[in-house]
Amino acid sequence: MNIGIDIDDTISETYATLLEYAQKYTIEELKRSPIIKSFNTEDHLYIENMHNWNENETARFWKKYYEEIIKKVNIKTFAANIIKELKESGDKIFLITARWNLKDNNIEQITKDWLKENNVKYDKLIINAKEKLKFVKENNIEIFIDDSCRNCKDIEYNSNAKVFIMDTRVNQNLEDEKIKRVYSWPHLYKEIKKLKEEN
């Protein structure tokens, strides 16, 4: 099967690292309280909403810390092993990420280096995928995994892919019986095996 997988907060623990940097930035550079406000989100624009940054403050944060965050994020437990098992069983792995290149860096190469360091096997890496539905259709993705409510709903209702949402703090507001919530890579692997048995 063709399996499309997001990277941040699906394969990696990006939220934890991002939050620490956002807190540091808010306290040390913006000289403001780091108290996080409650909010609902449909996509990945949560860090600025949480800290109530304006557009300029958000741009400065990404320019200063984006590359460092991408390099430092940890991989989710069992993710590399399970992706390897999927590949060895004949599945094709497409990593589809909204990560984007900034003017002064090469996020694609940093991402490739991180994937290699963490032993994540894949067939194709697609970066700057703001509208993931396009890439799901182009690559005949049959199973799609992401942590973004917006991406999951877009793909569930506009493609033939079976969609799984990786549970995170910021996607709790998604309640959709068509989209299966998974809480770990072993849970996801169990659901993928079950799906294969049914087909």
Side-chain angles (χ1 to χ4, degrees):
M1 300 184 87
N2 290 347
I3 303 179
I5 311 173
D6 172 50
I7 295 177
D8 292 300
D9 287 318
T10 303
I11 294 175
S12 69
E13 296 280 9
T14 308
Y15 174 83
T17 304
L18 185 56
L19 182 63
E20 295 294 336
Y21 276 87
Q23 291 272 293
K24 173 182 169 67
Y25 175 71
T26 301
I27 294 165
E28 295 180 4
E29 297 187 38
L30 302 182
K31 310 293 186 190
R32 293 208 298 257
S33 168
I35 302 303
I36 294 171
K37 68 174 191 171
S38 61
F39 69 101
N40 287 321
T41 184
E42 283 289 306
D43 57 31
H44 292 78
L45 301 175
Y46 57 79
I47 203 70
E48 52 262 44
N49 294 330
M50 290 170 74
H51 293 87
N52 206 26
W53 298 339
N54 64 36
E55 191 174 319
N56 181 51
E57 290 164 345
T58 300
R60 280 168 42 211
F61 172 78
W62 289 121
K63 183 175 182 183
K64 182 165 186 177
Y65 292 116
Y66 187 40
E67 185 174 322
E68 194 174 334
I69 290 166
I70 295 302
K71 287 179 179 176
K72 280 196 171 183
V73 293
N74 292 319
I75 190 165
K76 284 183 177 282
T77 307
F78 305 118
N81 291 340
I82 289 172
I83 290 170
K84 183 182 175 195
E85 286 187 44
L86 290 168
K87 263 191 70 61
E88 287 176 350
S89 71
D91 295 312
K92 286 192 173 180
I93 305 298
F94 297 79
L95 303 182
I96 307 172
T97 177
R99 289 181 177 188
W100 68 96
N101 282 322
L102 291 175
K103 187 177 180 181
D104 301 325
N105 60 32
N106 185 344
I107 294 300
E108 182 172 4
Q109 189 57 53
I110 292 167
T111 300
K112 285 178 178 178
D113 293 343
W114 184 89
L115 292 165
K116 186 175 182 180
E117 286 165 17
N118 287 280
N119 201 29
V120 178
K121 308 296 183 190
Y122 60 95
D123 294 282
K124 187 174 182 181
L125 171 64
I126 301 164
I127 71 157
N128 200 27
K130 291 177 185 170
E131 300 300 325
K132 294 189 179 183
L133 176 63
K134 172 189 170 191
F135 299 100
V136 165
K137 287 183 172 180
E138 283 178 0
N139 294 283
N140 299 312
I141 300 299
E142 297 161 274
I143 295 173
F144 178 77
I145 309 108
D146 204 317
D147 67 300
S148 162
C149 300
R150 183 177 64 83
N151 289 336
C152 287
K153 288 197 291 189
D154 193 25
I155 288 156
E156 175 61 43
Y157 289 95
N158 296 291
S159 79
N160 295 320
K162 173 61 182 168
V163 176
F164 296 93
I165 189 164
M166 185 64 75
D167 186 73
T168 69
R169 176 178 176 178
V170 297
N171 66 25
Q172 297 301 303
N173 60 324
L174 177 68
E175 292 182 16
D176 191 316
E177 61 184 25
K178 290 187 174 184
I179 299 170
K180 179 77 176 177
R181 184 175 292 273
V182 291
Y183 297 91
S184 65
W185 272 89
H187 184 195
L188 174 63
Y189 191 45
K190 176 177 182 273
E191 292 298 328
I192 289 175
K193 287 199 291 186
K194 180 179 170 187
L195 185 64
K196 287 179 176 180
E197 288 166 5
E198 291 171 352
N199 290 336

